[in-house]
């Protein structure tokens, strides 16, 4: 799989879906639980999970365009992917 350049946000009610139900290119967000999950945009197939809070990651949702700050570094995965998500776009570092 190729590196993604963009995510499609999917807002879910309740718990986030398990890895087997995730689609590559979709960013699943639970406002209720303040978290998100998705498959790594590099294409390695690993699941990434983010918990939103003021000390780690922050999410901004404006008109269906999602921005997550700060950057996401998958240093615990073999791919070591590092990127920003800005208005659904993936900005690789």
């Amino acid at each position: 799989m190729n590196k993604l350049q963009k995510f499609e946000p999917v807002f879910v009610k309740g718990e986030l879906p398990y890895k087997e139900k995730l689609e590559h290119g979709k960013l699943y967000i639970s406002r209720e639980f303040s978290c998100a999950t998705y498959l790594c945009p590099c294409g390695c197939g690993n699941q990434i999970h983010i918990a939103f809070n003021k000390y780690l990651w922050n999410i901004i949702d404006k008109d269906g365009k999602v921005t997550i700050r700060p950057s996401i570094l998958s240093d615990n995965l073999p791919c070591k992917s590092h990127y920003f998500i800005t208005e659904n776009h993936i900005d690789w570092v």
Side-chain angles (χ1 to χ4, degrees):
M1 254 184 222
N2 294 331
K3 282 185 173 182
L4 291 178
Q5 299 303 313
K6 188 174 181 180
F7 273 120
E8 176 187 341
V10 177
F11 293 92
V12 300
K13 297 204 186 265
E15 294 183 13
L16 295 167
Y18 292 101
K19 183 179 179 181
E20 296 77 26
K21 298 201 178 224
L22 299 179
E23 291 182 46
H24 188 59
K26 293 191 177 181
L27 172 64
Y28 299 87
I29 303 162
S30 171
R31 288 185 176 121
E32 182 181 353
F33 293 103
S34 297
C35 59
T37 194
Y38 55 94
L39 296 175
C40 185
C42 82
C44 69
N46 286 297
Q47 183 176 5
I48 309 290
H49 186 81
I50 297 174
F52 300 117
N53 68 47
K54 63 183 180 180
Y55 302 109
L56 292 175
W57 287 285
N58 205 343
I59 183 170
I60 301 164
D61 170 27
K62 185 175 180 185
D63 300 324
K65 293 183 179 179
V66 173
T67 297
I68 297 174
R69 289 293 184 268
S71 67
I72 300 160
L73 172 61
S74 303
D75 60 349
N76 60 330
L77 298 177
C79 67
K80 305 288 188 217
S81 291
H82 188 196
Y83 48 91
F84 288 90
I85 299 174
T86 307
E87 294 186 344
N88 300 345
H89 291 276
I90 300 163
D91 301 313
W92 294 93
V93 177

